[in-house]
Amino acid sequence: MTQAPAPLKAVRRRHDREIISLAVPAFGALVAEPLFVLADSAIVGHLGTAQLAGLGVASALLTTAVSIFVFLAYATTAAVARRVGAGELPAAIRQGMDGIWLALLLGAGVIAIVLPMAPFLVELFGASDTAAPYATTYLRISALGIPAMLVVLAATGVLRGLQDTRTPLYVAVAGFVANAALNAGLVYGAGLGIAGSAWGTVIAQWGMAAVYLVVVVRGARRHGASLRPDAAGIKASAQAGVPLLVRTLSLRAILMIATAVAARLGDADIAAHQIILSLWSLLAFALDAIAIAGQAIIGRYLGANDAEGARDVCRRMVQWGIVVGLALGVLVVVSRPVFLSLFTSDSAVKDAALPALLVVALSQPLCGVVFVLDGVLMGAGDGPYLAWAMLLTLAVFTPVALFVPTLGGGLTALWIAMTLMMTIRVLTLWIRARSGRWLVTGATR
């Protein structure tokens, strides 16, 4: 077999080391985030069924609200990484501060909406009469932590852009530990019930935000970057985030449509769908970690005017996405019976889930390419294209998914439709990646 030239091997090894050094800590931080909800659920669950149901409704509302603003991390990562690649560290940190100021403004706006509308939102999400008071209490208190959560998103983007994914991992782990300890102390020690769980989470969130702010402020002072809010910079951050907001909302709409269709298929199917969706989300963390590395690395290469280097690392990350996707697919196939037994003993639910899980397993290499190219184009600041591509995907997926109950095939057919959705995404992303139009170099796009 012909050996690859040594320089090419050296380049690949360098890319691999860089991808691993960024992706592994990013994966740890991503996994730590949902542990907040799990810790809250474990502690509140012992208070009673109504309290746990109320927590479930409030958590769903909070997760939806915060996930809408995930562009604060994505857009900030790309913008800061470009400045880093151009050797403009003060400007990079200044751009990051614009994202943080935007996060504070958006957080204040969300509080102004959520506090008075909490009862209406809880009712809209279908909380029962017994669970609604607990959901409202938790939502109103937790809303006070939303600005902190958005600051964490923006500051995480700053550090990723600076090629640092270790600090977010340390902060996420420390935040999880603090959250669990505070919740246990306030719920049981202080006897505050579900309100104690909410206050514990808020305190932990503001603690995480404070740590991030200390890190960013120190960096700003070290490099002489201004900390004052800049209206033009904040406006630019918001404009860069709008296309990514459209992309995120379109993706959320796809997931909501899929869940609504599963509910129409019957109780066993919706139960199986929720189990599969939780696994699909967990697998996404592993693939999203590579995408995060892609955002940081691609932005830096383009900022350094190295379009060829950006193309090379994109190619290598696609290979990583396929390999990791294959490994995850095999893991799903092997662990299907054991995984399902952890969630249910109902044979009807298992029968509905098993073939659909096989579809999920087969689609993982495809998902790997989607996540990687999504990250590459985010790192390149190609948000408008990502928005239009996701809107197209939503437009094709919606009628196909809505016809699933009519056409038959049950939950397996629905997850085939989900795989079709990922196929459309990979096609739109691949066409863009091959065109090279995303290879816009310079400190700003």
Side-chain angles (χ1 to χ4, degrees), residues 43-68:
I43 292 169
V44 172
H46 291 286
L47 294 174
T49 302
Q51 288 90 332
L52 184 59
L55 172 66
V57 172
S59 294
L61 282 162
L62 289 165
T63 301
T64 300
V66 174
S67 66
I68 289 172

Side-chain angles (χ1 to χ4, degrees), residues 54-143:
L55 172 66
V57 172
S59 294
L61 282 162
L62 289 165
T63 301
T64 300
V66 174
S67 66
I68 289 172
F69 299 110
V70 74
F71 69 84
L72 288 166
Y74 294 158
T76 305
T77 297
V80 171
R82 275 185 177 269
R83 295 285 191 180
V84 169
E88 302 176 1
L89 275 177
I93 297 174
R94 171 66 262 177
Q95 194 133 22
M97 285 304 305
D98 292 334
I100 291 173
W101 281 113
L102 176 62
L104 287 169
L105 291 173
L106 290 173
V110 173
I111 286 179
I113 294 171
V114 171
L115 285 181
M117 293 189 65
F120 170 75
L121 292 172
V122 165
E123 183 181 354
L124 187 66
F125 263 59
S128 67
D129 291 340
T130 54
Y134 297 110
T136 302
T137 297
Y138 190 93
L139 181 59
R140 278 182 167 154
I141 296 171
S142 294

Side-chain angles (χ1 to χ4, degrees), residues 390-405:
M390 190 58 79
L391 285 171
L392 172 64
T393 303
L394 173 62
V396 175
F397 171 79
T398 300
V400 173
L402 293 178
F403 271 111
V404 164

Side-chain angles (χ1 to χ4, degrees), residues 178-204:
N179 177 66
L182 285 166
N183 278 9
L186 293 173
V187 171
Y188 299 115
L192 296 179
I194 195 170
S197 176
W199 280 117
T201 301
V202 168
I203 294 169

Side-chain angles (χ1 to χ4, degrees), residues 246-286:
V246 172
R247 168 203 167 275
T248 300
L249 289 174
S250 299
L251 180 57
R252 296 290 301 184
I254 287 171
L255 297 178
M256 289 176 65
I257 290 169
T259 299
V261 170
R264 292 171 59 189
L265 297 175
D267 290 346
D269 288 283
I270 184 60
H273 176 74
Q274 288 303 114
I275 294 171
I276 295 171
L277 193 59
S278 67
L279 174 63
W280 194 74
S281 300
L282 179 62
L283 297 174
F285 286 139

Side-chain angles (χ1 to χ4, degrees), residues 314-334:
C314 170
R315 189 179 299 115
R316 190 60 177 166
M317 279 188 289
V318 168
Q319 294 169 356
W320 268 86
I322 294 171
V323 170
V324 173
L326 283 169
L328 293 175
V330 171
L331 183 63
V332 171
V333 171
V334 172

